[in-house]
Amino acid sequence: MDVIERWSGRYACLLQSALRLGNEQFAAHLGIAVRTVATWHADASVVPRREMQQLLDTAHERAPAAARQRFALLLAKERAPVDSTPPGAQALRVAIAVVVRDSDVLLVCRRDDDAAGITWQFPAGVIKPGGKAETTTVRETLDETGVHCAVRQHLGNRLHPVTGVLCEYFLCEYLAGEATNSDAAENIDVMWVPRNSVPRFIPVDTIFPPILAVLEEQT
């Protein structure tokens, strides 16, 4: 049986596929929130917390023999150099909100086991099949941060250089609400950051160029 030394979002999704479970079914199987499973799909490189690692270990160990065999095949294919790009990455769409309030921008800090793996990013959420990107942007921002916002402009889209996920970027206007960490299971902190300080939190070479243009305005 293949042993996973450290589960990532991608490996967790491979296990889900091997078990042939939908997001809701897989979440129920592990006893976790559906939102957590969606996060794994949105960010293949994310490393689940220690307790999540244990849940995934148990699910893998207790999986039927046929499911373990499917997982081994998927894992071998994933690790093969000729197939290093996550399958189906382009089919997954994520809405990303660049929420501005005067000269500040809203950021969230994702939770991780290792301090070095903690990442700051803009509020984001998976766009469900048939769902509207704009609606997802507003809803996920509120769910994650407690901030009400309105979409002002579609900044464009791209395949994320790290995750390979198709991202839809929206410039949003702050309406109301105090920035709070409303999703403690996934995030460590939420804060308003001066526009010119964003590159201190997010590597500038990974920021979508149209966002950089917005950040440079009025700074």
Side-chain angles (χ1 to χ4, degrees):
M1 182 173 67
D2 288 280
V3 176
I4 302 298
E5 294 183 4
R6 193 180 196 192
W7 290 92
S8 65
R10 184 58 191 157
Y11 288 167
C13 292
L14 290 181
L15 178 60
Q16 176 186 356
S17 180
L19 290 169
R20 294 179 175 172
L21 298 175
N23 284 7
E24 292 80 5
Q25 293 172 310
F26 191 45
H29 184 68
L30 296 175
I32 61 176
V34 177
R35 183 184 184 85
T36 300
V37 177
T39 298
W40 294 340
H41 281 277
D43 188 352
S45 64
V46 69
V47 177
R49 289 175 289 144
R50 186 172 295 105
E51 54 267 35
M52 293 291 184
Q53 296 277 335
Q54 294 171 347
L55 289 174
L56 289 165
D57 282 340
T58 300
H60 181 218
E61 292 167 2
R62 295 180 179 177
R68 290 200 302 270
Q69 185 176 9
R70 286 193 294 270
F71 178 74
L73 291 173
L74 290 170
L75 190 62
K77 184 178 180 181
E78 179 73 15
R79 289 173 171 173
V82 295
D83 192 24
S84 58
T85 300
Q90 295 187 33
L92 183 67
R93 297 171 64 215
V94 173
I96 298 179
V98 182
V99 185
V100 296
R101 184 188 66 177
D102 298 326
S103 61
D104 294 335
V105 180
L106 187 64
L107 296 182
V108 298
C109 183
R110 299 297 184 197
R111 185 181 296 279
D112 199 317
D113 278 339
D114 298 329
I118 291 174
T119 57
W120 285 91
Q121 54 189 267
F122 303 102
V126 176
I127 305 170
K128 296 180 180 180
K132 292 185 177 181
E134 293 86 347
T135 302
T136 300
T137 300
V138 173
R139 183 185 65 245
E140 292 297 324
T141 299
L142 178 60
D143 289 347
E144 285 192 338
T145 70
V147 168
H148 295 267
C149 68
V151 172
R152 181 192 301 174
Q153 178 185 352
H154 182 221
L155 297 174
N157 58 56
R158 67 166 177 173
L159 289 179
H160 195 278
V162 177
T163 66
V165 171
L166 179 60
C167 299
E168 299 282 352
Y169 296 88
F170 294 91
L171 176 62
C172 300
E173 179 181 3
Y174 167 81
L175 296 179
E178 293 293 329
T180 57
N181 184 10
S182 303
D183 189 4
E186 297 298 332
N187 301 326
I188 292 177
D189 200 4
V190 173
M191 71 166 59
W192 291 102
V193 175
R195 295 189 190 194
N196 57 8
S197 296
V198 170
R200 294 173 50 194
F201 295 84
I202 304 175
V204 69
D205 59 337
T206 67
I207 300 177
F208 192 39
I211 295 179
L212 290 175
V214 169
L215 297 179
E216 291 172 359
E217 294 177 0
Q218 301 177 0
T219 58

